[in-house]
């Protein structure tokens, strides 16, 4: 089991001791109310989600002492020399391609957010601000996208509002499952 499945099981634990129809109703009600709460929480927020904002702030601070060297005439490929202050630790180098948004560390491609090497380039060579770098982050990490996930949920079927069709039988009384 995973933490996510355990959390979901705990959230829906009340639905285990009722009939199948009431179980489905309780599950839908919990999911819809959770989605509505998340939407209300994020609907007025702007910018980068706090976790990624903190990550980029940390990367921005860590890259201050790096060295950035242009490798090609076109100005797209750079060597970023990560300097270290630790005793007996060697410097690490990574190749950065600004045009393709790639870095040999793999972080920029993996998350679609500038890595520490890209931050070094934007800070030391391109003279951009941290706010400019935050704008370069993928839209998936911004509150607007997060809020859009919860904006529309599915509409529950309300049994009491259904018309009788002379074929479908009403459910039996809500009793505990065997």
């Amino acid at each position: 089991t995973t933490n996510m499945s355990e959390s979901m099981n705990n959230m829906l634990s009340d639905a285990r001791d009722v009939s199948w129809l009431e179980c489905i109703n309780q599950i839908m009600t919990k999911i819809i109310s959770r989605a509505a709460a998340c939407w209300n929480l994020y609907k007025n927020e702007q910018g980068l989600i706090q976790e990624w904002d903190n990550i980029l702030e940390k990367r921005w601070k860590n890259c201050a002492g790096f060295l950035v060297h242009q490798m090609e005439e076109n100005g797209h490929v750079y060597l970023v020399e990560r300097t270290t202050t630790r005793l007996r630790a060697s410097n690490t180098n990574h190749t950065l391609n600004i045009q393709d948004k790639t870095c040999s560390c793999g972080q920029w491609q993996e998350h679609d957010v500038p890595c520490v090497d890209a931050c070094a380039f934007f800070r030391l060579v391109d003279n951009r601000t941290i706010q400019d770098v935050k704008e370069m982050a993928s839209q998936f990490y911004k509150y607007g996208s997060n809020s859009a996930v919860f904006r529309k949920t599915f509409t529950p079927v309300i049994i009491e509002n259904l018309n009788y069709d002379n074929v479908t039988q009403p459910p039996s009384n809500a009793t505990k499952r065997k």
Side-chain angles (χ1 to χ4, degrees):
T1 61
T2 64
N3 189 30
M4 187 180 297
S5 64
E6 289 297 322
S7 297
M8 193 67 165
N9 284 338
N10 185 43
M11 185 173 90
L12 302 174
S13 63
D14 294 344
R16 293 181 181 170
D17 298 329
V18 294
S19 70
W20 67 270
L21 187 61
E22 184 61 27
C23 175
I24 291 172
N25 185 44
Q26 285 186 19
I27 290 171
M28 287 181 56
T29 302
K30 287 269 189 179
I31 291 173
I32 290 170
S33 65
R34 176 78 177 128
C38 289
W39 180 72
N40 283 326
L41 183 65
Y42 299 122
K43 70 180 178 182
N44 295 323
E45 295 288 335
Q46 297 294 320
L48 207 55
I49 293 172
Q50 190 61 49
E51 180 182 352
W52 279 101
D53 190 272
N54 294 342
I55 289 169
L56 277 175
E57 289 283 346
K58 184 177 178 184
R59 288 177 180 175
W60 191 258
K61 289 176 188 171
N62 291 343
C63 74
F66 290 6
L67 300 172
V68 182
H69 311 286
Q70 186 172 345
M71 291 177 59
E72 289 185 358
E73 193 175 318
N74 62 14
H76 299 303
V77 181
Y78 292 84
L79 176 73
V80 178
E81 188 178 350
R82 293 183 183 180
T83 54
T84 183
T85 57
R86 294 180 303 191
L87 190 62
R88 295 186 183 162
S90 62
N91 292 348
T92 307
N93 300 326
H94 288 282
T95 306
L96 182 69
N97 187 321
I98 299 301
Q99 186 176 22
D100 296 340
K101 295 184 178 182
T102 60
C103 182
S104 60
C105 74
Q107 293 295 307
W108 201 356
Q109 303 90 287
E110 184 175 347
H111 300 291
D112 201 15
V113 174
C115 62
V116 69
D117 305 302
C119 287
F121 167 80
F122 293 124
R123 181 177 186 163
L124 304 171
V125 176
D126 217 23
N127 296 321
R128 299 217 188 168
T129 66
I130 183 67
Q131 292 305 328
D132 294 336
V133 174
K134 288 177 182 179
E135 288 299 317
M136 292 177 197
S138 172
Q139 294 301 313
F140 294 116
Y141 302 116
K142 297 191 178 173
Y143 281 111
S145 294
N146 199 349
S147 179
V149 168
F150 301 108
R151 194 171 295 138
K152 276 195 165 190
T153 60
F154 51 92
T155 305
V157 175
I158 301 171
I159 301 291
E160 292 80 22
N161 294 347
L162 293 177
N163 294 328
Y164 187 68
D165 64 0
N166 294 327
V167 177
T168 307
Q169 297 295 317
S172 60
N173 292 338
T175 59
K176 186 174 178 177
R177 295 189 295 216
K178 301 234 187 289

